[in-house]
Amino acid sequence: MSAERAIPVLRVRDTAAAARWYGRLGFAVRWEHRFGPDFPCYAELARGPVRLHLSEHEGDAPPDGLVYLRRADLDAVAAEFGVPVEEMPWGPEVALRDPDGNRLRVGPPDED
């Protein structure tokens, strides 16, 4: 049975470069699509059940998007990117920016 989910779409200039950066967070490319050889790329990345879509199409998503991820290995994420784990009123969090300026906030898993 397939799960219902929402999948964020992030605007990127270079899908391959962005996919390498997201690979540092454990994401891998599941598929890519182009309408033709010189057309923009649209790709889906996955990390377990978590999905992100990256689009080079200008109208698909505004620049400077924001995604909140929940990860059990928050300290490892902070170490990988050389950033601190910040203590926020709602709990620990890591703030990242991808090469295209999209923002990611990474926090610990839900407790439920």
Side-chain angles (χ1 to χ4, degrees):
M1 175 188 226
S2 57
E4 293 182 359
R5 67 183 85 187
I7 301 174
V9 178
L10 298 172
R11 173 82 167 89
V12 297
R13 290 180 301 272
D14 180 340
T15 302
R20 284 191 298 276
W21 189 88
Y22 282 93
R24 295 172 64 192
L25 287 166
F27 285 91
V29 176
R30 289 192 65 214
W31 53 260
E32 295 179 347
H33 177 267
R34 291 178 190 269
F35 286 104
D38 295 324
F39 282 79
C41 185
Y42 190 98
E44 179 174 270
L45 305 184
R47 181 181 189 279
V50 179
R51 303 288 187 265
L52 293 174
H53 285 190
L54 304 179
S55 179
E56 294 176 1
H57 296 269
E58 289 186 25
D60 280 352
D64 194 35
L66 172 63
V67 174
Y68 198 95
L69 298 174
R70 296 205 175 269
R71 295 274 304 259
D73 55 350
L74 195 56
D75 290 328
V77 171
E80 170 65 25
F81 290 91
V83 298
V85 175
E86 298 180 43
E87 196 56 47
M88 306 304 280
W90 48 87
E93 185 176 274
V94 170
L96 303 172
R97 269 198 192 266
D98 76 10
D100 296 287
N102 294 300
R103 297 167 293 141
L104 285 89
R105 294 189 184 138
V106 186
D110 288 328
E111 294 181 13
D112 51 39

